[in-house]
Amino acid sequence: MKLAPILYVRPRSEAELLDALGRYGADAAVLAGGQSLMPELALRTRAVKVVVDINHLPGANRIALRWAAGSAGQMESLAAPADSLGQWPDGMLHIGPLVRHGDLLRHPLVQRYAPAWAAAAAHIGNVAVRNRGTVCGSLAYADPGGELPLIAVASAARVCLRSSSGVREVAAGSFFAGAFCTVRRHDEFVAGIHVPAAGPNSFHFFDEIARRPTAPALASIALSVNPIIGQAPSVRIAVGGVSDRPRLLLATGEDVSQALRGMAERQSGAEGVGIALDVDAIHAALRAELTPLVERDDAVYRLHLAATLLTRAVAALRAFLDLPPAMPYPGPLT
Ligand SMILES: Cc1cc2nc3c(=O)[nH]c(=O)nc-3n(C[C@H](O)[C@H](O)[C@H](O)COP(=O)(O)OP(=O)(O)OC[C@H]3O[C@@H](n4cnc5c(N)ncnc54)[C@H](O)[C@@H]3O)c2cc1C
């Protein structure tokens, strides 16, 4: 099918963009990579009167690193100072509205300070989709099986929303309001994403289960430990695909944090390191936390996929820590 007649607007500056969004409101849609919007318009599953193409906004494809602590001018430096725990203090990666999925795979700042984003982007669609689709577009689209919405929640990213009345920043965990639904207003556009810089001593794992490589994930998981070495590891675990939006599993993450803290204490007292990170206990935490959030007919199946992915994540963490493999996940959660 072909598109219905539509007004095409191509702003050359942010002021023109905000003016168009303010004028046309709910009748308008931002066009970024077009990988989701154009099929929707062509298939007429979505109807808008105006398309506002942001592909000609100057400087919108920028990835930059900022240090919050009194160093506003210090950008895009790879020579960042690390503190005693090996963390980057106050580092924030800014991802502009026209940064493509493929840029995440290639950009040295992403590889160094946001490796989880690069790992997740590798699972998106195919090369053509990754070369056109944008990171901000993926968040605005809010597909529950999308890789980048999950990573945004897992990495405590903040979404920057801009309109003619000003700028507001929303934590990724609060940005997604349901399947294909966000808290963005019609007069706002996603002007960028701010990602806390991961430290050099951090661990990141991403994996997913999908019917085919170009299909959205049936279930996906992101687990990060920052820092992996030290007395106060902070573990974040988020699960995608199983619910109407990515879910951060605070209690399950805290269980893994406690196991890592216990290991560090035992390590200083010599023995028992290998018995920590008990997979059964972590599965129980996942089931308790995730079950109430999965309101769908195939909930048992989705929870089983999430548990399978958690097993893989813990196995990868154990291997990273040089621990012997744990017992495999025994079967579906009931
Ligand atoms: C074959 C194929 C396979 C795919 N596989 C995957 C996959 O495995 N995983 C996955 O996550 N995605 C997948 N996608 C979708 C792809 O990642 C899209 O690129 C992404 O979902 C939307 O990004 P976009 O830049 O193309 O946005 P567009 O299609 O241009 O826009 C999508 C929606 O977001 C809005 N929007 C876009 N940018 C902004 C902005 N800056 N501010 C406000 N609103 C905005 C648009 O108005 C529209 O409503 C696939 C797509 C195709 C065609």
Side-chain angles (χ1 to χ4, degrees):
M1 285 178 80
K2 292 212 164 70
L3 268 64
I6 212 160
L7 177 64
Y8 174 79
V9 178
R10 184 196 280 182
R12 297 259 169 203
S13 67
E14 196 174 281
E16 283 181 26
L17 165 62
L18 297 180
D19 180 57
L21 293 181
R23 187 166 347 134
Y24 299 114
D27 287 335
V30 171
L31 171 64
Q35 299 302 293
S36 299
L37 180 63
M38 295 314 288
E40 282 183 346
L41 295 179
L43 293 167
R44 311 216 178 172
T45 53
R46 181 161 176 201
V48 290
K49 293 181 181 148
V50 185
V51 158
V52 183
D53 182 353
I54 62 170
N55 283 275
H56 300 269
L57 276 189
N61 60 353
R62 197 141 187 264
I63 296 178
L65 188 65
R66 292 197 176 94
W67 304 106
S71 52
Q74 198 178 348
M75 304 266 288
E76 294 196 23
S77 163
L78 283 169
D83 68 11
S84 55
L85 285 177
Q87 285 182 296
W88 307 117
D90 305 322
M92 195 67 83
L93 203 63
H94 172 80
I95 296 174
L98 282 179
V99 170
R100 315 278 168 179
H101 306 321
D103 297 329
L104 296 179
L105 295 172
R106 293 181 285 266
H107 203 289
L109 285 174
V110 178
Q111 285 164 2
R112 183 151 177 183
Y113 297 109
W117 288 71
H123 289 262
I124 298 176
N126 50 42
V127 176
V129 171
R130 292 195 290 271
N131 281 344
R132 288 299 305 166
T134 63
V135 179
C136 290
S138 184
L139 267 57
Y141 190 54
D143 185 336
E147 287 82 0
L148 299 183
L150 170 67
I151 283 296
V153 169
S155 58
R158 298 185 70 77
V159 182
C160 177
L161 294 166
R162 192 162 291 177
S163 71
S164 48
S165 50
V167 186
R168 64 181 175 128
E169 268 191 33
V170 181
S174 308
F175 178 69
F176 302 105
F180 304 101
C181 182
T182 72
V183 300
R184 182 180 72 84
R185 296 194 314 259
H186 292 303
D187 64 336
E188 289 175 320
F189 85 110
V190 179
I193 304 164
H194 296 147
V195 181
N201 284 332
S202 55
F203 169 84
H204 301 277
F205 177 88
F206 175 88
D207 200 3
E208 68 177 30
I209 297 170
R211 288 202 176 88
R212 1 171 252 289
T214 52
L218 295 166
S220 50
I221 195 164
L223 182 151
S224 64
V225 189
N226 199 8
I228 192 82
I229 300 164
Q231 294 297 316
S234 161
V235 178
R236 288 178 71 92
I237 300 175
V239 172
V242 300
S243 178
D244 64 344
R245 70 197 88 164
R247 299 292 187 171
L248 182 67
L249 302 180
L250 284 171
T252 312
E254 182 49 33
D255 274 16
V256 178
S257 294
Q258 270 180 18
L260 291 176
R261 278 195 289 272
M263 279 172 53
E265 280 158 23
R266 274 194 297 277
Q267 216 160 19
S268 49
E271 62 182 273
V273 175
I275 57 165
L277 272 181
D278 177 58
V279 181
D280 286 343
I282 299 169
H283 276 144
L286 174 98
R287 179 173 41 194
E289 198 169 8
L290 197 54
T291 303
L293 302 174
V294 186
E295 292 170 347
R296 44 192 309 155
D297 294 342
D298 59 356
V300 172
Y301 172 58
R302 299 283 177 148
L303 285 164
H304 167 59
L305 296 182
T308 302
L309 289 168
L310 183 68
T311 304
R312 293 183 195 171
V314 172
L317 181 55
R318 290 183 70 97
F320 187 84
L321 293 168
D322 263 343
L323 296 177
M327 291 293 287
Y329 169 56
L333 297 170
T334 51

